[in-house]
Every structure is written in structure tokens, then in C-alpha cells.
Amino acid sequence: METEMNDQARADLNESALFFHKHPIPGKLEIQATKPLGNQRDLALAYSPGVAAPCLAIRDDAATAADYTARANLVGVISNGTAVLGLGNIGPLASKPVMEGKAVLFKKFAGIDVFDIEIDALEVDRMVETISALEPTFGGINLEDIKAPECFDVEERLKARMKIPVFHDDQHGTAIIVAAAVLNGLELAGKAIEDIKIVTSGAGAAALACLNLLVSLGAKRENIWVTDRFGVAYKGRVDEMDRWKDPYVKDTEARTLEDVIGGADVFLGLSAAGVLKPELLRHMAEKPLILALANPTPEIMPEVARAARADAMICTGRSDYPNQVNNVLCFPYIFRGALDCGASAINEDMKLAAVRAIAALAREEPSDVAARAYSGETPTFGPEFLIPSPFDPRLILRIAPAVAKAACESGVATRPITDFPAYIDRLNRFVFRSGLVMKPVFSSAKTSTAKRVIYADGEDERVLRAAQVVLEEGIAQPILVGRPNVVDVRLRRYGLRIRPGADFELINPEDDPRYRDYVDLLIELGGRRGVTQEAARTMVRTNNTVIAALALKRAEADAMICGLEGRFERHLRNVRLIIGARTGVKDHDLSTLSMLISTRGVLFFTDTYVSVDPTAEEIAEMTVLAAEEIKRFGMEPKAALVSHSNFGSHDSPSTLKMREAAQILKKIAPDLECDGEMHADSALSEQLRQRAFPHSTLKGEANLLVFPNLDSANITLTAVKQITDALHVGPILLGAARPAHILTPSVTSRGVVNMTALAVAEAAQKAQMLAAKAG
């Protein structure tokens, strides 16, 4: 029965995979132009006759190919299909789905473009000739799924012949992850690498690459024992021996894995299911590290190994167990670092730098994105967490700079990186798409003295993770509203090291000494707006947004964040009641600004959450407030008042309202670059706008779209966000007397961090203004 169920599950998976690869269009890749081809001039620049200029520049100086072509960010994933995953020699054409898959991993994790190339070449000479001839096309070559021992010769000869990185991921990718796991396993076991005994099962490309890299880290060859399907690699053996195994041959009478496993500190399996019997584990050293990497079934299942040796640390190649050895942990980022410095090779120094970066990352607290890759409690460094999650976004920030630095120091970088902080800033766009846009805000927040931010949803995992990040980055001093026992349990569950009292203040809604003061203040603020004494007491005990707002009102915090749970309108009602509007803004004139960050760029939308049907005066006011906020990002606002009318083409009530708002803006904000009413496409295309109205005062592309009502704003925001897969920052509440922001339940931990930085920067600006007035 169980076999039938497994067969059905496999059939279902196969059917789903075929559908996935076929629809909506076949395959997993497409080519997109990075330059506009919207008119004859564009075509003339992209092709004949304009293309002659970069051609001649490259002829005169080959290095300029990195400036004028995509080569510096282009990798060739090349295979002959002779050793594809667990499928074996299925041929080059059948390997294409795998190579396309490798290509999308490069793009997803490191922003690297890839051409997958499947070659009908079995002989080493033909492979070398074919691949080396492609050097002018690529910035690097990733060899994939080529069987041993041919893969050794191919890579060795290509490295000697080509002046770009050549990297056989099946060998070195696996080796780098294994080496990082070994370093961390030895640290936990209290062992030194030069003293350990290593025994392998399997002596193919990956296994030998692992051993060679471990030797580079300090392991002794005399302490390494290699076995495969013919037994121990001993002196005099002739079956499947070659020069690659020779360094590990032993003059010994031992012939089997059982003969050599005794006292082993590390077992490295890259062979077949079930090779490592549980009884053999009893002969291994204390706290052994078992790397059972055969797929899909390892040399020993983790639960079997743990039953035999409770002190064992276990890694597999499977995603359903801890400590997955997955090449995606390293290959995108190694190439990222190599390409960015124009490396002519990926050498041993660069591989070792990647090993150490990965090992160090596993010792850090896991990020919120990495945590979502696991079910249950978030793992922290230990026997069950020797290797970072492949989905940890910090991998690129650790590995790529380490690799690039090693390339520079070892002399293989043709474009050495001189400013690593700036380089890491650029890499942030692969981690948090908000990285560069948010940089001015984060810089302001880090230098601010107004840093106390109170979080109404202090028990939420996203807030707890954000609190640790803002503390580490020096952005804010968190104050959390939450029950102490709940917060404590969740901090430990998520593997976070911050603790209440020591790192942040915790307000217990069930027992806080300021309770009576909070109730009195709430009655004072809301007594004439329907808040009775009994209601005030209940609200201060049960409504965390009310508590946070009262603390902010009493100047016990500099800013507040709420809204991760519940309806936006309910939170807004409490903020209006307690915080109110700033001078010159009416309570009902509060509005929100939303920012979308996509591959196209940054676009702001207002008002997306508050104003149902604002008047022309209110639209003008919210536009001014939005423009002030946009400047906080170091950007000059360009506002377009959008409508179904394009410069007078219709005269409906909403159109007339937007037209009037544009006139008001010219009076109250003459320096603001804005215009309206106009179509959204006119707002985003100067060419279309000039065609409709050549005298528009708006130049270039608008970065702020102002809508006539809440329906149009919110619908546009959510539709564009979904269609473009853009990152949403906000909503940013505009016009409040003090920095108070109401997020939405879909916000991520990083979104909370972004809004915290905004709130701190806003608080700092208000503090400076008050100080200036006082002075």
C-alpha cells in the first residue's frame, strides 16, 4: 500500500512538473531587452549604424566589453548530459531542463544572466575545443553534469586555456559547502582539522574535490581514507584507479569501508544508499560528523544514524532534513564576486574564502527570510544547523565580497574592487530590493538621537526579528508592547538573542505601572469624543495600538509602528484620537503614501489607504506632504495628478477636481514640479505627455502618482504590485503630529525595519525643527 502511495505521489509530481515546464510558455527562460527600441533612433543606436561605435571601442580595448556589452554579467552553463542529477547519461538535449533550472538559480539568487548551452560532445578534446571557443561570449563558464573522470581533464585544460573563470560546480560547489560544514562540525566537537581522520565512500568528482579542499584547509592526506565500490584505494589496486585518486592511495591491507571506519571523525558519503551501516557508526570517534550525501536516499538515514550514535552530527543532500548540502548556497555568489572584479579564474584562495564566509554565516542568527524556509522553530548554530539555509538572503553579502577580495589579493582580478563598503551597498539590491532606495533614510536614522520606537505588535515574529535588526544596525531603540512570557518564549523559539530589560524595553499590557496615567490621558483626549472611563480602562488593558500611541503622546517614545494585525481603519481611528494631526493639517486630512520598488524603478502612490473621496484642497495638501516625504529618500519629487482625462479631454467631476487641485498646487507649492490632470501613461512617458500637451510643466517621468479617490489609488497600487512583483514600502502615514505608521498584515520583517528607519528619520527631523524654533 505504501509503495502504491509513493508511486502515485511520484506520478502526481511528474504531471505537475510537465505542466510547470510547458505553461504558460515552454521552458523557464526568456531574453528581454535592457534598452528601449521604441523608435527608429533607438534601432539605429542598438544596431546599424550606431552599434559600430562600441564594436570599434572593444576592438581597440578588449576590457571595454565590460562597459558596452552584457559579457561581464553573463555566464555559460554548459553540459554534455553525461551525468545529469540522478538520471545518469541522458544526453545533452534531455539535460536542457536542468541547465535552464541552473540558469534561473543564477538569476534569482545573484542577478546573473545565463545562456545554457548543451553540447553534443563526449570526447575531452572536442569538449575543450567547443567550450574554449566560446570565451568571447561569456564572463565565466559553469560546467555542469559532465561525468568523471572526463570532467577533471576538461576543467583542468579549460582553466589553462581560458582567461575567464571556469568552475565545475558538481565538484567545487559541493566541496565548498562540505568544507564549511566540516569547519563548523569540528568547532562544535572541539577538534582540529589537522588531527581528524576522514573516511569516504565514493571517489568521484565531487568526493575528490571535497578532499582536496579539506587538505587546503589543513587536513592531512595521511589521515584520509578513500573507498568506493571496489573498496579501499590501496597501493596496487587497478580497478577504476586514475591520477586523481593517487594522492589518497594507502599502502595497507585494509580492503573495505568496515576495515577503515574505526576512529573516523568524518564520514563523507557521495556514493549510494545504505552504504554506511548503523553498526559501523559505533566504531567512529566521539562526536562524529556524517555527511551522507547520496541522493535521493543517503548512505544512512539521519534517524537511523542518530539512533546508533546520539552524539553524531549529520548532513544530507535532502531538503527535508537539517543541514542540507545544496550547491545553490555558493555557486551564484562565487560567480557574483568573480564577475564583479573581472576575475580571470576561480582559484583556491577564492574557494577557501567562500568556505569561511559560509561557515561564519551559520553562526549568526538566522534572518526572517531564512526562518521562513523552515517549519516549526527556527534553528540556531549547533549540530542541527551547521550550514545556512539556501534561502538566507545574507549569503550574497558574505560570499561575493569575500570571493572578490580573495581574487584581488591573489592577483586574478582584472577590475579590482577598491571600495568594498560601496560594493556591499550595491549587492544589497539582491538582498532587500529596498536597499539602495532606503539608503538615505537608513543613514539619517543611524545618526539620529531620536531613536525610541514603540511597536504595538511586540509579540509578532516579524517585530521581534525587526527589533534585533534595528538594534544591530544602530537604527533604533525598540520598545515592545507584549506579554513578557509570550515574548520570551518566542525569542527563544526564533533563535533571537535579544532579551527584554537588557536590549529593549517591554510594556506589559496586563501589568504596567503607568496604567492609571495612561487611562487618565486617554480620557482627557477622548472624553469629548465618546470615550468613557470604563471604555478607557478597557482600551488601555486590551488595545496595544492605544498603549503605543499613549506612550508616544507622553514622549516616552519618539515614533510608533502598529497595524500588523487588524483593520487599518481601526488603528487609524486610535492614532487620530490620541496623536492627532500636526499643525496646519486637519485630523481628517491625514493621508498615506506607498512606495513600490520594481526592476523598472521607484514609484510613489497617494493616497492609498485613508482618503475615500478627497476634495481638491485635500488632494493638493496630500501632494505637498507626499513630496516632503519623497525628499527624505534623497529624490526630487515629480508629481502627476492622474485621471481618466488627459489635459482637458474630459470634464467629469473627478477630472475637474484634479484640474482644480493642480491649480491650487501651483499657488501653495510653486517650486514643486507637478502637473495634471493626465493619463497614467502620460505621467510615466515624457514622449506621450509631450504628444498630448507639449507645454506640460512636468519633465521626465513622474515618480509620484496622485489619485482622485481611494478606489483608484488602492486598486492601482495592489494591481501594479502583483503584476510587477514589486516591493511595497509603506503605507507611510502623512500629516500626523508625531511619527506614527500603520502597516498592513502582509508586511514582512524587512518591511518593519524599513518603516522603523523612516519613522526614526522623521522623528529626527521633527526634533531638529523643534530645536531650531527653541533656539
Side-chain angles (χ1 to χ4, degrees), residues 515-526:
Y515 169 74
R516 290 186 180 278
D517 294 332
Y518 282 2
V519 170
D520 290 343
L521 178 57
L522 183 56
I523 293 170
E524 178 186 337
L525 295 169

Side-chain angles (χ1 to χ4, degrees), residues 22-338:
K22 187 174 182 179
H23 300 284
I25 58 174
K28 299 188 286 281
L29 296 172
E30 67 178 5
I31 294 175
Q32 291 187 356
T34 60
K35 300 294 189 296
L37 292 172
N39 53 43
Q40 186 61 38
R41 178 166 177 77
D42 289 344
L43 190 59
L45 293 172
Y47 198 55
S48 180
V51 75
C55 289
L56 295 175
I58 295 169
R59 180 200 63 184
D60 296 337
D61 182 0
T64 60
D67 300 319
Y68 300 127
T69 75
R71 183 176 185 261
N73 194 50
L74 186 61
V75 166
V77 171
I78 302 179
S79 178
N80 66 355
T82 53
V84 180
L85 298 176
L87 304 175
N89 186 357
I90 61 174
L93 183 58
S95 76
K96 190 171 182 64
V98 177
M99 303 312 126
E100 285 189 354
K102 196 66 176 278
V104 297
L105 293 177
F106 268 107
K107 189 66 175 179
K108 168 69 176 177
F109 289 100
I112 294 172
D113 296 315
V114 165
F115 290 156
D116 65 287
I117 298 178
E118 295 72 34
I119 58 174
D120 186 7
L122 297 178
E123 303 80 11
V124 170
D125 287 345
R126 188 175 180 189
M127 280 190 276
V128 170
E129 288 300 321
T130 301
I131 297 169
S132 62
L134 298 171
E135 182 170 349
T137 301
F138 297 109
I141 298 292
N142 184 95
L143 301 176
E144 193 75 16
D145 293 348
I146 300 171
K147 73 180 182 72
E150 288 89 340
C151 62
F152 298 120
D153 284 322
V154 169
E155 185 187 42
E156 184 177 66
R157 289 170 58 178
L158 288 174
K159 282 183 172 180
R161 190 164 174 171
M162 301 177 78
K163 294 182 176 61
I164 59 174
V166 177
F167 188 80
H168 186 210
D169 183 47
D170 299 325
Q171 293 182 56
H172 308 299
T174 301
I176 288 165
I177 310 305
V178 163
V182 169
L183 288 184
N184 281 343
L186 295 181
E187 177 172 315
L188 291 172
K191 300 176 182 179
I193 193 168
E194 58 269 18
D195 299 328
I196 62 169
K197 178 180 179 180
I198 302 170
V199 175
T200 78
S201 173
L208 292 174
C210 291
L211 295 179
N212 292 339
L213 194 56
L214 290 172
V215 168
S216 295
L217 284 167
K220 305 295 185 183
R221 292 185 190 273
E222 56 268 27
N223 295 334
I224 297 174
W225 294 77
V226 172
T227 73
D228 57 18
R229 64 195 182 103
F230 290 98
V232 173
Y234 61 88
K235 188 175 182 180
R237 195 183 105 175
V238 294
D239 293 317
E240 287 194 4
M241 294 300 294
D242 52 53
R243 64 188 179 97
W244 309 103
K245 296 177 186 173
D246 286 347
Y248 301 104
V249 167
K250 294 287 190 296
D251 188 359
T252 178
E253 297 298 319
R255 294 294 182 266
T256 68
L257 176 63
E258 184 177 1
D259 293 337
V260 298
I261 196 70
D265 299 281
V266 176
F267 169 81
L268 173 61
L270 284 152
S271 54
V275 166
L276 184 61
K277 306 300 180 185
E279 56 268 21
L280 297 183
L281 268 64
R282 290 192 282 271
H283 302 295
M284 294 184 71
E286 181 184 2
K287 296 181 180 178
L289 174 60
I290 299 166
L291 297 128
L293 307 182
N295 260 325
T297 307
E299 286 78 4
I300 188 169
M301 295 299 290
E303 58 269 20
V304 175
R306 198 166 288 107
R309 286 293 296 265
D311 63 339
M313 293 171 280
I314 308 159
C315 302
T316 71
R318 293 172 54 136
S319 60
D320 54 345
Y321 287 97
N323 295 325
Q324 183 193 14
V325 174
N326 188 332
N327 290 9
V328 80
L329 275 163
C330 68
F331 73 79
Y333 317 118
I334 289 173
F335 271 98
R336 181 74 276 159

Side-chain angles (χ1 to χ4, degrees), residues 437 594-598 601-605 716-722 724-729:
V437 178
S594 290
M595 176 170 64
L596 287 186
I597 306 167
S598 69
V602 179
L603 196 58
F604 294 88
F605 301 76
T716 304
L717 169 70
T718 53
V720 173
K721 175 184 175 183
Q722 186 66 25
T724 63
D725 192 28
L727 174 68
H728 178 210
V729 177

